[in-house]
Amino acid sequence: MKILNFGSLNIDRTYKVENFVKPGETVSSLSLGTFCGGKGLNQAIACKKAGSKVYMAGKIGSDGAILLSKLKEFNVDLEHVYIDDDELSGHAIIQVEKSGQNSIILYGGTNRTITHEEVDKVLADFDEGDILLLQNEISSMNYIIDKGYDKGMVIALNPSPMNEELLKCDLSKVSYFIMNEIEAAAISGYEDADKAIEELNKKYPDSKIVITLGSEGVKYFDGEKTYQHGIFKVNTIDTTAAGDTFIGYFLGGILEGLKPMEILTMASKASAIAVSRPGASDSIPSKDEVLQSNLILK
């Protein structure tokens, strides 16, 4: 079984600030870091670091060599990454305040120029049972979901950023929803995680549901039972890639055939290590680091 991660490739510029910029305000940043990011790239690297075989599909511009270099560093398969010389790669402007929380502005760039023809070419190389990992930072989402479902692929959706366009997709074709409580509320209509899971199970009875809850940990409904796991104690530096790290290790656990609580423990540890470091993809830990960590639950 393979993982096809069809997603975004961004150049992230991270500005450390005392506090998030307010309307009409101008502030000086404490520092600037340039990182490779995008939920697609981050989750591809997280899947790879978790020990999975992962193929990246997406599109970059003429400025995107740094993105290819980063993915090659981790031996992510790049055969399905297209290059558009007439458009800039996607990028993000990220504010990180002293508490470690972040605020992000995205520019889609080439992530928003993916065509149906390119989707067909990519999916032709994958089979029934392969995992199709998706976020919501690229174009043609509806088409990708439909075509992946038609092939019998296992669709894992991280519905971020949430918007009306995503809600127009046929979400009943999703095998795994992996999302935070805000995204779960937008899809289900309920802010309470238990009620959200109950409603989502009614709407999408064939789907499994993962809801990350920040300081409250995570809940996972596997179609029969709901499991809950807390968070580990760390000094939070930057939460940028926390969710992406969790997703990579969660899917890695699924592929390994681990039990639900084993999967949640592994993914939660990996995410905790990631938030204790600066940056996006650079903060994602290796599997050995996760296995050897002696973190304690809060």
Side-chain angles (χ1 to χ4, degrees):
M1 185 183 293
K2 300 177 288 192
I3 296 178
L4 167 62
N5 180 22
F6 210 142
S8 56
L9 297 156
N10 285 343
I11 299 171
D12 293 345
R13 295 180 176 87
T14 301
Y15 300 81
K16 286 208 169 183
V17 293
E18 285 289 340
N19 297 289
F20 293 143
V21 179
K22 300 179 180 65
E25 183 181 29
T26 300
V27 302
S28 295
S29 65
L30 303 176
S31 65
L32 167 63
T34 299
F35 303 94
C36 296
K39 287 186 173 295
L41 181 142
N42 294 340
Q43 291 177 23
I45 291 175
C47 288
K48 188 66 179 180
K49 286 192 171 185
S52 304
K53 176 64 175 176
V54 58
Y55 298 77
M56 185 75 218
K59 189 184 284 189
I60 60 172
S62 57
D63 59 341
I66 185 177
L67 300 170
L68 295 181
S69 178
K70 175 59 69 174
L71 289 166
K72 285 178 182 176
E73 181 181 334
F74 298 100
N75 296 314
V76 174
D77 188 286
L78 301 177
E79 181 182 350
H80 303 93
V81 176
Y82 295 97
I83 300 174
D84 181 352
D85 290 326
D86 296 325
E87 175 63 271
L88 292 175
S89 300
H91 67 257
I93 298 171
I94 304 171
Q95 297 179 66
V96 179
E97 66 171 18
K98 53 189 174 184
S99 69
Q101 293 298 308
N102 62 68
S103 177
I104 303 173
I105 299 173
L106 287 175
Y107 171 70
T110 49
N111 295 316
R112 307 302 303 176
T113 65
I114 293 169
T115 67
H116 290 186
E117 180 182 8
E118 289 164 343
V119 173
D120 290 340
K121 287 180 180 178
V122 170
L123 295 185
D125 290 338
F126 295 87
D127 303 307
E128 180 179 355
D130 288 338
I131 292 176
L132 173 58
L133 173 57
L134 300 171
Q135 310 82 32
N136 192 33
E137 293 182 342
I138 60 174
S139 56
S140 299
M141 279 290 294
N142 202 341
Y143 190 79
I144 297 171
I145 289 173
D146 289 347
K147 292 298 181 178
Y149 181 84
D150 289 345
K151 288 183 71 73
M153 299 182 76
V154 176
I155 299 174
L157 174 66
N158 174 214
S160 177
M162 175 57 64
N163 57 30
E164 289 298 320
E165 285 302 310
L166 185 63
L167 294 176
K168 295 176 183 178
C169 297
D170 187 353
L171 299 181
S172 68
K173 296 176 178 178
V174 172
S175 305
Y176 288 90
F177 288 97
I178 311 175
M179 53 195 167
N180 64 29
E181 52 197 320
I182 296 172
E183 293 149 3
I187 297 175
S188 70
Y190 292 94
E191 294 185 2
D192 178 80
D194 290 324
K195 289 182 178 178
I197 288 172
E198 182 179 351
E199 180 63 20
L200 289 167
N201 186 43
K202 289 178 183 177
K203 293 174 70 174
Y204 312 117
D206 296 328
S207 303
K208 297 176 174 62
I209 302 155
V210 181
I211 303 178
T212 56
L213 303 167
S215 62
E216 299 300 314
V218 59
K219 290 191 175 184
Y220 170 38
F221 176 70
D222 69 350
E224 297 180 359
K225 180 180 177 180
T226 298
Y227 300 85
Q228 183 163 8
H229 197 288
I231 64 171
F232 291 94
K233 295 180 181 179
V234 293
N235 179 30
T236 299
I237 302 297
D238 184 351
T239 61
T240 303
D244 300 329
T245 302
F246 183 94
I247 289 167
Y249 274 85
F250 179 87
L251 293 178
I254 294 292
L255 289 180
E256 279 188 61
L258 300 180
K259 295 177 181 179
M261 286 304 294
E262 292 174 329
I263 294 172
L264 296 182
T265 297
M266 179 79 75
S268 297
K269 278 188 177 181
S271 183
I273 294 170
V275 303
S276 70
R277 301 168 173 174
S281 62
D282 291 341
S283 71
I284 301 170
S286 68
K287 190 173 183 179
D288 283 345
E289 287 180 279
V290 177
L291 291 173
Q292 294 170 15
S293 67
N294 56 357
L295 298 178
I296 300 172
L297 283 170
K298 280 190 174 182

